[in-house]
């Protein structure tokens, strides 16, 4: 299929970045829609009866008028612990495919791995209502399988970014592609809330039907217009190909690089990166998965508003991430700061800012406005991780960015299992401000501690093992020699 002429005039790397961005919009829409839908799926009246010690610290404004609580009770009787397990089981599958995903992407390319990962998750999302109604076990099984599909996506994309991005644009392209995850959250939450409150396709089941279908349609776009490397792209211009290769310099990547596992596994910067990623995910998943429940159960915000208010922090995170990536690239191009200082500064602002804002939530009490502003500002600061530790994998080891991302993200996403379960344990039968404040204190402390570790011991310098040994002069020369041949082939065709 030949793309329209105006698309052919856009640099190939930007087309890949844009469709990758849309991919992450889908990935997070498919992941977080259950966070909203579960509020409508659960029979709150039945759960409340068994939850006799639940208190109401904040006044419920919905009880003050005759049209008070029009929320429909769902069909499933799941207590807080069971809900935490359901939300967390996704990550049992998610962590398993992280490291294999990274290695496969480096060996055979990330295009089909990334695309099929999203497609499988979309198809399973379409089956979610059926699985939930069959049994809790079948529902959990589908969530685990969805995790397996999505587990390859971040490592595969990291490997692709390392191949497609010039060093001077790495911060911006990384921030832009991964900002799709925030936009996916922003889009998914209010739309999911609206669908849950509607009669369309039965209410909450429509959430899974709509986003599953969109995910399948995106796969067609990805399959047609994206290629593994600039060298593989049939429509890339000679100037763009030369620019990417020259700017990458000694970092030029290729398929099937060997990896020095002993050196990697004993590297202090690698383990600092793992711990930093774990700290980020603990706080991030606490908010991503549990914020709708907090708004509903503590602040008593109606589910229709819940989706919009839950999404607002991620919209600001997206904006700050893009601004941070753009700023980081300018600082790097003008050589005002070295790369490590840029990454550490961005990451420190992200972690410290988010931690402080989580503490301010505990001071807000029942003040809806202050609570939402604190959540929103905290996630805005958090957007700077895109130009902080998130891009450090590619700085440290461009040839092994997928593997390194698989390692850190695999360990870090244990937080996706543990954080919801911990919240469920802390808040079960004790839905009070005090118990939720404990949740936020823990997350803030995790941010402060892991952010300080990265500031003190992290690095964004290219590691001696970070470029495959086969990158000798002959290999690099062959890349340039073949550029003219590729250009001639295109002209001839």
């Amino acid at each position: 299929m030949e793309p329209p002429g105006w698309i052919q005039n856009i640099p190939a790397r930007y087309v890949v970045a844009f469709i990758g961005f849309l991919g992450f919009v889908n990935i997070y829409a498919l992941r977080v829609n259950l966070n909203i839908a579960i509020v409508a799926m659960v029979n709150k009246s039945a759960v409340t009866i068994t939850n006799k010690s639940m208190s109401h610290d904040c006044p419920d404004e919905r009880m003050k008028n005759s049209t008070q609580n029009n929320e429909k009770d769902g069909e499933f009787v799941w207590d807080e612990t069971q809900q935490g397990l359901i939300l967390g089981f996704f990550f049992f599958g998610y962590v398993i495919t992280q490291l294999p995903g990274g290695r496969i992407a480096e060996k055979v390319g990330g295009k089909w791995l990334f695309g099929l990962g999203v497609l499988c998750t979309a198809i399973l999302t379409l089956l979610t209502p059926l699985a939930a109604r069959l049994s809790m076990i079948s529902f959990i099984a589908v969530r685990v399988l969805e995790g397996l599909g999505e587990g390859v996506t971040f490592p595969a994309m990291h490997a692709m970014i390392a191949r497609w991005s010039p060093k001077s644009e790495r911060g911006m392209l990384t921030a832009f592609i991964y900002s799709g995850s925030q936009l996916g959250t922003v889009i998914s939450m209010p739309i999911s809330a609206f669908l849950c409150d509607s009669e369309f396709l039965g209410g909450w089941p429509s959430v899974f039907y709509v986003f599953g279908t969109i995910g399948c349609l995106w796969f067609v776009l990805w399959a047609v217009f994206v290629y593994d490397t600039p060298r593989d792209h049939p429509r890339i211009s000679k100037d763009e190909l030369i620019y990417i290769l020259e700017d990458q310099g000694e970092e030029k990547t290729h398929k099937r690089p060997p990896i020095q596992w002993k050196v990697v596994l004993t590297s202090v910067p690698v383990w600092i990166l793992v711990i930093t990623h774990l700290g980020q995910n603990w706080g991030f998943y606490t908010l991503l998965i549990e914020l709708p429940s907090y708004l509903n159960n503590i602040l008593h915000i109606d589910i229709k508003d819940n989706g919009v208010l839950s999404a607002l922090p991620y919209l600001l995170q997206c904006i700050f991430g893009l601004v941070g990536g753009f700023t980081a690239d300018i600082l790097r191009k003008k050589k005002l700061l070295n790369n490590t200082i840029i990454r550490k500064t961005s990451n420190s602002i992200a972690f410290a800012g988010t931690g402080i804002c989580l503490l301010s939530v505990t001071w807000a009490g029942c003040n809806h406005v202050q609570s939402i502003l604190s959540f929103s500002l905290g996630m805005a600061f958090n957007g700077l991780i895109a130009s902080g530790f998130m891009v450090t994998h590619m700085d440290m080891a461009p040839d092994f960015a997928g593997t390194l991302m698989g390692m850190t993200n695999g360990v870090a996403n244990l937080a996706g299992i543990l954080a919801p379960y911990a919240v469920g344990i802390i808040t079960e039968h004790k839905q009070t401000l005090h118990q939720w404040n404990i949740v936020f204190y823990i997350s803030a402390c995790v941010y402060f501690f892991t952010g300080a570790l990265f500031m003190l011991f992290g690095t964004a310098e290219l590691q001696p093992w970070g470029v495959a040994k086969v990158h000798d002069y002959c290999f690099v020369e062959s890349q340039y020699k073949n550029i003219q041949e590729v250009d001639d082939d295109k002209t001839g065709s």
Side-chain angles (χ1 to χ4, degrees):
M1 180 186 297
E2 191 70 18
W6 64 271
I7 291 183
Q8 296 185 51
N9 294 328
I10 301 173
R13 66 189 183 279
Y14 296 152
V15 175
V16 172
F18 179 68
I19 301 176
F21 160 82
L22 293 179
F24 276 97
V25 171
N26 276 280
I27 287 167
Y28 266 73
L30 293 170
R31 183 186 302 189
V32 306
N33 52 25
L34 179 60
N35 302 347
I36 292 292
I38 199 169
V39 177
M41 294 169 71
V42 170
N43 188 320
K44 292 173 284 297
S45 299
V47 173
T48 302
I49 291 172
T50 62
N51 204 354
K52 294 184 173 65
S53 62
M54 179 183 289
S55 64
H56 298 279
D57 291 337
C58 298
D60 189 347
E61 298 297 326
R62 297 170 300 182
M63 302 296 291
K64 293 183 178 180
N65 54 66
S66 58
T67 60
Q68 49 126 6
N69 203 348
N70 287 324
E71 285 187 69
K72 298 169 284 189
D73 260 336
E75 55 196 274
F76 304 105
V77 182
W78 298 327
D79 62 27
E80 293 298 324
T81 300
Q82 289 173 318
Q83 291 177 53
L85 286 172
I86 290 169
L87 293 170
F89 260 103
F90 169 91
F91 297 96
F92 279 97
Y94 192 69
V95 299
I96 292 173
T97 50
Q98 291 286 328
L99 186 55
R103 288 306 291 153
I104 293 171
E106 289 160 358
K107 287 178 176 293
V108 302
K111 173 184 174 176
W112 292 112
L113 189 66
F114 182 84
L116 291 173
V118 179
L119 178 64
C120 290
T121 307
I123 293 172
L124 289 164
T125 297
L126 291 170
L127 298 174
T128 294
L130 173 63
R133 284 167 172 160
L134 283 175
S135 70
M136 186 174 177
I137 298 299
S138 62
F139 186 26
I140 288 174
V142 165
R143 292 293 292 174
V144 172
L145 291 173
E146 286 183 10
L148 289 171
E150 279 201 19
V152 303
T153 54
F154 271 94
M157 182 53 70
H158 247 52
M160 289 195 69
I161 293 173
R163 289 180 177 138
W164 273 97
S165 65
K167 285 194 293 185
S168 58
E169 298 179 9
R170 183 172 290 161
M172 184 59 193
L173 286 177
T174 301
F176 174 70
I177 291 172
Y178 289 139
S179 69
S181 61
Q182 289 97 48
L183 188 61
T185 303
V186 169
I187 292 172
S188 175
M189 285 186 164
I191 292 178
S192 296
F194 173 79
L195 291 172
C196 284
D197 195 58
S198 74
E199 299 297 329
F200 180 62
L201 297 177
W204 66 262
S206 65
V207 173
F208 304 102
Y209 298 143
V210 169
F211 288 109
T213 301
I214 293 173
C216 293
L217 294 175
W218 168 88
F219 175 76
V220 177
L221 191 68
W222 177 262
V224 172
F225 294 114
V226 173
Y227 294 82
D228 278 314
T229 70
R231 184 77 173 77
D232 297 331
H233 202 293
R235 291 179 296 275
I236 192 171
S237 70
K238 175 183 174 182
D239 289 342
E240 183 180 7
L241 182 56
I242 291 175
Y243 168 59
I244 292 172
L245 291 174
E246 284 183 342
D247 197 66
Q248 287 178 345
E250 76 280 10
E251 295 186 2
K252 295 176 188 67
T253 60
H254 63 290
K255 296 179 182 179
R256 298 179 177 85
I259 185 168
Q260 303 174 59
W261 281 110
K262 182 177 180 181
V263 178
V264 173
L265 293 175
T266 56
S267 169
V268 172
V270 167
W271 286 106
I272 292 298
L273 195 55
V274 169
I275 295 170
T276 304
H277 204 157
L278 178 62
Q280 159 63 17
N281 279 22
W282 182 278
F284 179 74
Y285 283 132
T286 296
L287 292 178
L288 180 70
I289 298 173
E290 300 296 341
L291 182 55
S293 294
Y294 178 78
L295 294 178
N296 186 73
N297 297 334
I298 299 298
L299 298 185
H300 308 298
I301 296 176
D302 188 85
I303 187 170
K304 295 187 294 296
D305 300 322
N306 192 332
V308 176
L309 296 178
S310 295
L312 178 62
Y314 303 100
L315 176 61
L316 294 180
Q317 185 187 34
C318 175
I319 295 170
F320 271 58
L322 292 173
V323 172
F326 181 73
T327 304
D329 280 351
I330 290 178
L331 293 174
R332 182 168 182 165
K333 285 179 182 177
K334 294 187 175 182
K335 299 182 179 179
L336 298 177
L337 295 171
N338 71 46
N339 200 38
T340 294
I341 292 177
I342 292 171
R343 303 302 181 218
K344 286 186 174 184
T345 301
S346 295
N347 204 74
S348 296
I349 295 172
F351 276 45
T354 307
I356 290 171
C357 288
L358 283 174
L359 291 180
S360 73
V361 173
T362 68
W363 308 327
C366 297
N367 187 319
H368 290 199
V369 174
Q370 185 178 337
S371 295
I372 296 301
L373 286 177
S374 297
F375 282 129
S376 300
L377 187 58
M379 293 310 294
F381 281 123
N382 196 252
L384 296 178
I385 65 167
S387 51
F389 85 90
M390 275 292 286
V391 73
T392 305
H393 307 72
M394 288 172 270
D395 294 327
M396 291 171 57
D399 268 5
F400 309 114
T403 295
L404 205 55
M405 184 62 171
M407 287 177 58
T408 68
N409 207 32
V411 174
N413 275 284
L414 292 173
I417 301 170
L418 299 175
Y421 185 71
V423 172
I425 293 296
I426 292 171
T427 61
E428 184 180 15
H429 304 304
K430 294 170 251 182
Q431 284 282 346
T432 65
L433 277 173
H434 174 71
Q435 296 307 121
W436 275 96
N437 284 346
I438 292 174
V439 172
F440 299 135
Y441 288 142
I442 292 172
S443 295
C445 289
V446 169
Y447 271 124
F448 294 144
F449 176 70
T450 56
L453 282 181
F454 186 78
M455 185 65 183
L456 294 173
F457 305 111
T459 183
E461 299 303 316
L462 179 64
Q463 299 299 293
W465 48 268
V467 179
K469 298 299 183 184
V470 294
H471 278 185
D472 55 25
Y473 178 80
C474 294
F475 173 78
V476 175
E477 281 295 298
S478 68
Q479 293 275 7
Y480 284 98
K481 266 188 203 178
N482 290 333
I483 290 175
Q484 187 61 53
E485 295 174 15
V486 171
D487 200 52
D488 292 341
D489 289 343
K490 291 180 195 173
T491 304
S493 59

